């Protein structure tokens, strides 16, 4: 009897083993891993697009370095306010873009190219454009960065990528963007599920060419011939035609604006518009001042900064000067007759940087202004005055997309352009001053174009204890996370580029 029982038990176990073996592949296939083939790569692209929105490092560094927004506070917020190094903050740009955008674009490209002849070429070329945009931001911020080996942790198991020089990176970015734009084809499979342009190939092409224009204009001071050729190629390919073509990351109550979270939560009472920026808008009677600014007149504390107490009257706006900390800003407050430093003008965080506000990465306004400069240089056959006016107008019209309550009337736009006409004798400075304004809330681009063009003509930050001996910060330092994990490759980059500090210039800024 026992033998029969043992035999039956053994047979049951064997049947169970064979049954498990038959289903082994199905049971052990990960159907939720976003890098799995079971996931449509369009979702990876959407995640990449969403994460091209700027990290909050732009508020602490980039926007402060171009003197638009500043805080007198130190600690975690140390950065442009003192021209001091803070690698905890510079880590934000690096981690956000490499661990999100570049990881996702690398996974998509690796997966599609592994197919040999991908059946979704438009998805491949859209991905290449998003990746090129992100690499451009990264190399403009830091200089030499991991490029050719970046984003290949999954496809090629490269976890410690080598660094490439910015000169080589820019050359390849130009090639990548041209090839991606040329490869986009309305006759191929549609990608309507992407969140940027809903599969509209003509808009993707115009975005790609506008990115190419930006790449070309960045090289005006280091390689004029390549800059001219790249700009001409972008122009001939077709650029953004209106605000409908803007590269914009939309937000809602579920997916909120990072800057909106930052400036409406822990840092709601800490950041203020710089007097340089406020005065520039005020002196030219710019209607954007009323749209962008909000001052809580007489506020002596953060709790008094409520929307009902805010004034948008341009005549009442008072920007905070650069170069002061918590110990010294009090003297400035007294000299100006303010109630406290809470009495300085802020960006309107209830409308312009509310948590559901859009974030603009590349715009028609910026594109027109860059094209206006190219026209002044004789690189395109266009009327620079018309391009300039269109660029200024487009940015003013954009205010309505933040909040209808801060929309600028067409009559006010026209009045501004009449009162502040295009000056052909001072065109380069005038165009780039407007580009500075048009890049408000796009700190990386404002910082890059300031270094390239030298405009606006800013006075250096007078804070007495700085980490630089130059007039301005020239780049951000590599983050602690990279120093700890990829130090060997980073050391090679530093030996080629120069010291890893705030003074070393990137290649196109030599």
């Amino acid at each position: 009897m026992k033998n029969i029982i043992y035999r039956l038990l053994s047979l049951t176990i064997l049947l169970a083993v064979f049954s498990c073996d038959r289903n082994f592949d199905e049971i052990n296939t990960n159907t939720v891993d976003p890098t799995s083939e079971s996931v449509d790569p369009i979702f990876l692209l959407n995640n990449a697009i969403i994460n091209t929105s700027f990290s909050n490092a732009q508020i602490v560094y980039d926007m402060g370095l171009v003197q638009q927004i500043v805080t007198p506070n130190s600690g975690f917020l140390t950065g442009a306010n003192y021209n001091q190094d803070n690698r905890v903050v510079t880590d934000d740009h690096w981690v956000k873009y490499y661990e999100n955008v570049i990881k996702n674009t690398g996974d998509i490209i690796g997966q599609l190219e592994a197919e040999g002849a991908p059946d979704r070429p438009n998805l491949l070329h859209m991905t290449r454009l998003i990746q090129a945009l992100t690499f451009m931001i990264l190399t403009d911020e830091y200089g030499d960065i991991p490029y050719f080996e970046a984003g290949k942790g999954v496809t090629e198991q490269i976890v410690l990528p080598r660094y490439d020089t910015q000169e080589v990176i820019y050359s390849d970015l130009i090639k990548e963007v041209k090839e991606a734009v040329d490869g986009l084809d309305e006759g191929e499979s549609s990608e309507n599920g992407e969140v940027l342009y809903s599969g509209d190939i003509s808009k993707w092409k115009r975005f790609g060419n506008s990115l190419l224009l930006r790449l070309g204009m960045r090289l005006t001071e280091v390689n004029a011939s390549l800059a001219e050729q790249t700009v001409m190629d972008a122009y001939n390919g077709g650029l953004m035609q209106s605000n409908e073509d803007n590269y914009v990351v939309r937000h809602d109550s579920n997916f909120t604006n990072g800057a909106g979270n930052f400036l409406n939560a822990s840092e709601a009472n800490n950041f203020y518009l710089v007097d340089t920026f406020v005065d520039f808008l005020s002196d030219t009677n710019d209607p954007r001042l009323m749209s962008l600014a909000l001052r809580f007149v007489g506020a002596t504390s953060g709790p008094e900064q409520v929307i009902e107490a805010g004034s948008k009257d341009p005549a009442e706006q008072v920007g905070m000067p650069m170069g002061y900390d918590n110990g010294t800003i009090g003297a400035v407050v007294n000299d100006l007759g303010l109630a406290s430093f809470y009495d300085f003008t802020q960006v309107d965080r209830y409308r312009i940087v509310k948590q559901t506000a859009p974030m603009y990465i590349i715009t028609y306004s910026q594109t027109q202004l860059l094209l206006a400069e190219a026209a002044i240089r004789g690189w395109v056959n266009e009327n620079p005055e018309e391009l300039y006016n269109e660029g200024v107008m487009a940015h003013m019209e954009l205010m309505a997309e933040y909040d209808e309550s801060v929309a600028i009337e067409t009559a006010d736009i026209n009045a501004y352009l009449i009162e502040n006409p295009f000056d052909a004798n001072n065109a380069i400075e005038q165009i780039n001053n407007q580009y500075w304004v048009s890049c408000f809330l796009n700190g990386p681009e404002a910082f890059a174009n300031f270094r390239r063009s030298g405009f606006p003509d800013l006075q250096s930050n007078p804070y007495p204890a700085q980490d630089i001996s130059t007039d301005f910060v020239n780049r951000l330092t590599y983050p602690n996370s990279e120093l700890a994990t990829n130090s060997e490759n980073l050391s090679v980059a530093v030996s080629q580029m120069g010291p890893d500090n705030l003074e070393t210039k990137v290649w196109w800024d030599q």
Side-chain angles (χ1 to χ4, degrees):
M1 184 66 178
K2 288 183 179 180
N3 288 337
I4 295 174
I5 293 174
Y6 287 146
R7 288 173 183 172
L8 288 173
L9 181 60
S10 298
L11 180 62
T12 301
I13 292 172
L14 286 172
L15 288 172
V17 169
F18 288 136
S19 176
C20 288
D21 185 62
R22 283 199 302 272
N23 296 314
F24 183 82
D25 289 340
E26 179 181 347
I27 292 170
N28 289 279
T29 297
N30 186 351
T31 60
V32 297
D33 182 356
T35 63
S36 170
E37 293 182 3
S38 63
V39 176
D40 189 334
I42 196 71
F43 296 121
L44 298 181
L45 177 62
N46 285 340
N47 192 48
I49 291 170
I50 289 169
N51 278 288
T52 56
S53 61
F54 306 115
S55 80
N56 290 329
Q58 73 149 340
I59 299 173
V60 178
Y61 270 104
D62 303 77
M63 295 186 70
L65 295 173
V66 297
Q67 299 183 16
Q68 292 178 334
I69 288 180
V70 72
T71 176
N73 297 332
S74 57
F76 173 73
L77 300 181
T78 296
N81 52 350
Y82 308 141
N83 280 344
Q84 292 178 352
D85 198 4
N86 185 347
R87 293 174 192 259
V88 174
V89 172
T90 60
D91 190 84
D92 283 358
H93 280 324
W94 190 277
V95 171
K96 178 178 174 63
Y97 292 134
Y98 273 115
E99 293 190 4
N100 292 284
V101 183
I102 301 304
K103 178 186 182 301
N104 283 310
T105 57
D107 289 351
I108 298 168
I109 293 171
Q111 179 178 329
L112 294 177
E113 290 184 343
E115 300 171 4
D119 59 358
R120 301 174 72 176
N122 284 332
L123 177 60
L124 173 62
H125 297 308
M126 290 172 182
T127 303
R128 291 173 77 183
L129 289 177
I130 299 302
Q131 182 166 273
L133 166 67
T134 307
F135 274 130
M136 182 184 184
I137 295 172
L138 281 165
T139 189
D140 287 348
E141 293 283 285
Y142 298 97
D144 295 357
I145 58 169
Y147 178 73
F148 289 105
E149 291 186 352
K152 296 183 178 180
V154 172
T155 58
E156 299 182 31
Q157 290 74 55
I158 299 176
V159 295
L160 297 175
R162 64 178 172 84
Y163 282 62
D164 299 287
T165 66
Q166 187 176 69
E167 182 176 7
V168 170
I169 291 170
Y170 255 80
S171 177
D172 196 71
L173 286 175
I174 291 169
K175 176 190 74 69
E176 279 290 295
V177 172
K178 286 182 178 180
E179 289 181 359
V181 171
D182 289 343
L184 290 166
D185 188 348
E186 292 181 351
E188 294 289 350
S189 57
S190 176
E191 299 294 345
N192 297 333
E194 54 86 8
V195 297
L196 185 57
Y197 295 120
S198 301
D200 189 327
I201 295 300
S202 61
K203 288 189 174 183
W204 271 96
K205 282 180 171 286
R206 292 196 288 270
F207 150 58
N209 285 318
S210 298
L211 174 60
L212 187 62
L213 171 68
R214 184 174 285 191
L215 284 163
M217 291 301 293
R218 196 76 89 234
L219 306 182
T220 55
E221 305 307 308
V222 71
N223 191 336
S225 61
L226 179 58
E228 179 178 4
Q229 184 60 57
T230 305
V231 167
M232 291 173 59
D233 290 341
Y235 174 73
N236 292 331
L239 303 168
M240 290 180 173
Q241 298 178 350
S242 72
N243 279 333
E244 292 298 314
D245 292 335
N246 288 340
Y247 184 123
V248 54
V249 179
R250 305 272 177 199
H251 301 97
D252 56 27
S253 56
N254 294 314
F255 175 64
T256 55
N257 183 307
N261 287 335
F262 190 69
L263 295 176
N264 282 285
S266 61
E267 310 309 328
N269 317 122
N270 290 329
F271 284 88
Y272 297 84
L273 292 184
V274 179
D275 57 358
T276 307
F277 188 65
V278 171
D279 293 347
F280 179 83
L281 299 177
S282 179
D283 291 346
T284 55
N285 198 27
D286 194 318
R288 284 171 290 192
L289 181 58
M290 184 176 288
S291 296
L292 299 173
L294 186 66
R295 180 184 167 211
F296 304 96
V297 180
T300 59
S301 65
E304 293 182 15
Q305 293 182 336
V306 293
I307 189 171
E308 295 80 10
S311 171
K312 296 187 70 62
D313 184 350
E316 291 193 298
Q317 305 309 318
V318 181
M320 179 179 284
M322 298 290 294
Y324 297 89
D325 57 28
N326 272 319
T328 58
I329 193 66
V332 179
V333 167
N334 292 334
D335 289 344
L336 294 174
L338 303 181
S340 69
F341 80 75
Y342 299 103
D343 201 0
F344 282 107
T345 295
Q346 291 188 312
V347 61
D348 187 343
R349 50 192 164 89
Y350 294 102
R351 282 162 284 238
I352 296 297
V353 285
K354 59 188 177 184
Q355 293 181 333
T356 57
M359 187 171 285
Y360 293 92
I361 314 300
I362 295 182
T363 67
Y364 172 62
S365 168
Q366 295 158 4
T367 301
Q368 291 296 96
L369 291 169
L370 288 178
L371 196 59
E373 182 180 338
I376 290 293
R377 293 175 180 272
W379 294 350
V380 295
N381 186 23
E382 290 276 359
N383 184 321
E385 180 176 1
E386 292 179 0
L387 295 168
Y388 169 84
N389 288 340
E390 187 66 23
V392 174
M393 182 179 297
H395 187 244
M396 290 188 178
E397 291 174 341
L398 208 59
M399 296 300 103
E401 296 195 24
Y402 288 100
D403 195 288
E404 192 59 38
S405 68
V406 295
I408 300 175
E409 299 291 336
T410 301
D412 293 331
I413 298 175
N414 292 334
Y416 174 83
L417 292 173
I418 292 172
E419 186 179 343
N420 301 275
F422 180 74
D423 180 4
N425 296 320
N426 193 39
I428 297 294
E429 179 174 6
Q430 190 178 28
I431 290 167
N432 283 285
N433 284 348
Q434 286 297 328
Y435 197 80
W436 175 57
V437 180
S438 184
C439 288
F440 184 72
L441 296 176
N442 183 338
E445 181 61 17
F447 179 39
N449 196 66
F450 167 65
R451 287 174 287 164
R452 175 193 75 88
S453 70
F455 298 114
D457 185 14
L458 303 175
Q459 298 296 311
S460 59
N461 183 340
Y463 190 75
Q466 303 190 24
D467 288 344
I468 61 173
S469 58
T470 51
D471 288 338
F472 298 98
V473 169
N474 292 315
R475 62 179 285 274
L476 300 189
T477 54
Y478 297 120
N480 287 324
S481 58
E482 193 68 0
L483 291 169
T485 60
N486 198 15
S487 59
E488 184 174 343
N489 286 315
L490 188 150
S491 295
V492 174
V494 169
S495 69
Q496 297 174 151
M497 182 181 66
D500 180 23
N501 57 36
L502 301 173
E503 295 182 356
T504 296
K505 290 188 174 184
V506 301
W507 165 71
W508 51 252
D509 189 30
Q510 302 301 317

